[in-house]
Amino acid sequence: MLSAQIWLKDIDQDFAGMNAAWEAWIPEDAVPTRATCEAKLAHPELLVEIIVTAAV
């Protein structure tokens, strides 16, 4: 994984939880660049959207 773009519905409410899930999931020796911001998402029930760029 080269990079990740993360959009949260409510960055104040969800940033800490998203960081905890991210840190538990991503290997320590393969951390990609990451940007996180707040956005109005495609559907009201969505809390997060993520785009990942990867290479094989």
Side-chain angles (χ1 to χ4, degrees):
M1 187 173 354
L2 302 174
S3 67
Q5 299 174 29
I6 302 171
W7 291 275
L8 300 175
K9 180 176 184 175
D10 184 336
I11 202 163
D12 292 330
Q13 179 177 324
D14 298 325
F15 189 74
M18 186 278 306
N19 269 341
W22 178 264
E23 290 172 6
W25 177 72
I26 200 77
E28 286 184 29
D29 62 344
V31 179
T33 60
R34 185 184 94 180
T36 305
C37 63
E38 182 177 85
K40 183 176 178 182
L41 303 179
H43 297 283
E45 65 275 5
L46 293 178
L47 301 178
V48 63
E49 291 186 18
I50 302 172
I51 292 178
V52 172
T53 303
V56 178

